[in-house]
Amino acid sequence: MKHRPLALLGTMLLGTGLAGCSSSGGQNAGGPTVLDVWLMRDSVSEAFQKEFEAGFEKDHPGIDLKIQIQEWEGIGEKVTAALAGNDAPDVIEVGNTQVAQYAQSGGLTDFSGKVGELGGDFWLEGLAEPGAWEGKQYGIPYYAANRVVIYRTDLFAEAGIDATKIKTREQWLAATEKLNKDGVQGIYLPGQNWFTLAGFVWDEGGDLAVQEGSTWKGALDTPEALRAMDFYQRLQALGKGPKDSDESRPLQAEVVAKGQVAQVIATPGGAGVIAQKNPELQGKLGFFPIPGKTADTPGAVFTGGSDLIVPAAAENQDEAYTFIKELAGDAWQKKLALAMSYVPNKTNLATAVASDPGAATMAVGAANGHATPNTPQWAAVEAKNPIKDYMTAVLIGRDPRAEAAKASQSITTTLNSGS
């Protein structure tokens, strides 16, 4: 699921083609060590990549950095093949929720002893938690992105609503209901936006699935998750979003660009797409964090983003760690956040994006970021995605408890199938 930086929101491995792996460069005869790194498409701009390479090699003249940009499609199989072979790159960027799949094979370097040195006390939980597996830290947080509310400043002004004062979910509902008149949709929220539902579930103290000993159990039928779905249903009813599709069918940006839609839940980059499709909305789009249950805490959000991993078979372990320490370090994190409108990997760096309204709003929400259940089998849940079917069933009037029990059982079966 990548809506620009959010390709990482999904753990489903896209594509079936297996591309050849690039071998590690190793040591040039009498020269610097060649360090092979795989970064993903759109995680860095060409300008940032050039700046980082020049700065890194200046500070570390014994390393010749070779960054290869990889495509998201088919990357899961490509990484799996690399980890199983003897010619793996030295560092690989992966989606934060994909780390468990690779760690399970035993093919990753354990960085547990380096967490303190890397500033782990300040890591975003939504990046650090899925980067760990069975008590060991394999993935080092790289950058994050999450959803915010993008709103029409002109429609809010006409309705007499100050977006900066919307701090709680009940205030949000009241404002949205006020906006929902005279041909304006208070919010465009498709019925299967399950990442948004997940945030409400976490707000209520629940989860999508819970681990009980060595087994997993779907948790959509818990009181917490049922309360979350009830709130989702109330919010969704204040717009004309379809009950049986997600945010990609049709594309949310296109809907907002065409009509009188007051709000949409998306990553900040969506505002640029909206304005591109309808130039009249340029300068009329603002941002605020998804409100929480109480005013003192922003709404929980799914943290999409990337972690950096090192294959256990990589030839240049010390140099790989040096690379990670630099790219995940404070100086380059600040530059990356500004260059790409990302959230830095640490909570104490949030002020680095203060000058970027969308990224700054995203950083507020990121402080309450979460990840999907940390198990290699979660990708299989998303492939079937009973959560989407459950949401549609409730929105068209079926019994929430019965449908939640059905979806939870499907999640339970998939997570414990081992396939």
Side-chain angles (χ1 to χ4, degrees):
M1 298 151 276
K2 189 148 181 116
H3 315 159
R4 195 175 171 266
L6 284 191
L8 322 167
L9 287 181
T11 58
M12 192 186 333
L13 303 180
L14 305 177
T16 57
L18 178 58
C21 299
S22 171
S23 62
S24 181
Q27 180 79 33
N28 279 335
T33 298
V34 177
L35 191 72
D36 283 337
V37 175
W38 287 359
L39 296 182
M40 299 308 302
R41 177 71 62 193
D42 295 333
S43 77
V44 294
S45 64
E46 184 177 354
F48 178 87
Q49 181 180 337
K50 289 181 178 178
E51 181 184 3
F52 178 80
E53 287 177 341
F56 181 86
E57 291 181 347
K58 179 181 178 181
D59 292 339
H60 305 283
I63 302 175
D64 181 11
L65 183 58
K66 300 294 184 185
I67 294 177
Q68 299 180 56
I69 300 300
Q70 305 294 319
E71 302 296 335
W72 284 103
E73 185 168 354
I75 191 59
E77 292 168 346
K78 188 172 183 180
V79 172
T80 298
L83 295 177
N86 296 319
D87 59 352
D90 298 295
V91 182
I92 306 174
E93 174 194 345
V94 298
N96 56 325
T97 57
Q98 296 170 349
V99 177
Q101 301 173 59
Y102 305 132
Q104 185 184 40
S105 68
L108 301 184
T109 297
D110 175 13
F111 287 107
S112 300
K114 300 290 189 181
V115 171
E117 186 176 319
L118 292 169
D121 289 345
F122 297 100
W123 281 343
L124 295 176
E125 184 178 352
L127 294 179
E129 181 183 351
W133 173 247
E134 295 186 337
K136 296 181 179 180
Q137 193 74 40
Y138 295 100
I140 304 304
Y142 176 21
Y143 70 85
N146 51 264
R147 289 171 171 80
V148 301
V149 180
I150 302 174
Y151 73 99
R152 284 274 301 272
T153 56
D154 56 334
L155 296 180
F156 269 58
E158 290 171 11
I161 298 172
D162 183 352
T164 65
K165 295 182 179 180
I166 301 176
K167 300 297 184 181
T168 69
R169 294 196 328 204
E170 291 304 318
Q171 291 171 344
W172 191 20
L173 280 176
T176 303
E177 187 170 9
K178 188 175 181 180
L179 288 158
N180 191 33
K181 61 182 180 180
D182 299 329
V184 174
Q185 286 191 62
I187 189 169
Y188 178 79
L189 180 60
Q192 296 182 346
N193 191 333
W194 69 277
F195 286 114
T196 295
L197 173 64
F200 300 156
V201 172
W202 293 321
D203 277 338
E204 295 289 347
D207 210 333
L208 304 176
V210 294
Q211 191 170 17
E212 299 178 345
S214 60
T215 62
W216 284 85
K217 182 179 180 181
L220 292 176
D221 54 347
T222 61
E224 295 84 359
L226 287 168
R227 288 198 300 268
M229 186 62 218
D230 178 69
F231 178 77
Y232 189 101
Q233 188 172 19
R234 293 166 65 195
L235 184 64
Q236 202 270 341
L238 296 175
K240 300 176 182 178
K243 295 177 171 62
D244 59 352
S245 63
D246 60 23
E247 57 267 45
S248 66
R249 298 174 296 125
L251 291 172
Q252 293 189 131
E254 294 181 352
V255 175
V256 178
K258 289 179 181 178
Q260 291 286 89
V261 176
Q263 306 170 84
V264 68
I265 300 170
T267 55
V273 179
I274 293 168
Q276 183 180 26
K277 293 182 177 295
N278 184 354
E280 292 183 5
L281 296 182
Q282 188 73 44
K284 297 180 180 179
L285 298 170
F287 312 91
F288 62 87
I290 294 174
K293 288 192 70 176
T294 59
D296 57 342
T297 305
V301 292
F302 171 76
T303 302
S306 284
D307 281 9
L308 299 170
I309 60 173
V310 173
E315 182 177 351
N316 305 302
Q317 293 286 325
D318 291 342
E319 290 84 357
Y321 176 68
T322 298
F323 173 87
I324 286 177
K325 190 175 180 180
E326 289 282 0
L327 188 55
D330 292 4
W332 285 107
Q333 279 291 303
K334 292 176 181 179
K335 292 181 179 181
L336 178 68
L338 288 173
M340 303 300 295
S341 294
Y342 290 154
V343 177
N345 62 2
K346 301 183 186 74
T347 56
N348 61 336
L349 299 180
T351 55
V353 292
S355 61
D356 183 325
T361 303
M362 197 162 52
V364 173
N368 193 13
H370 295 254
T372 50
N374 192 14
T375 164
Q377 301 307 318
W378 187 255
V381 172
E382 287 195 24
K384 299 178 181 179
N385 217 323
I387 305 173
K388 288 185 174 183
D389 295 336
Y390 156 63
M391 295 173 73
T392 293
V394 174
L395 293 175
I396 64 175
R398 294 180 186 169
D399 180 61
R401 293 182 181 276
E403 294 300 327
K406 187 190 304 181
S408 293
Q409 183 55 54
S410 175
I411 291 172
T412 298
T413 299
T414 302
L415 290 181
N416 297 304
S417 66
S419 60

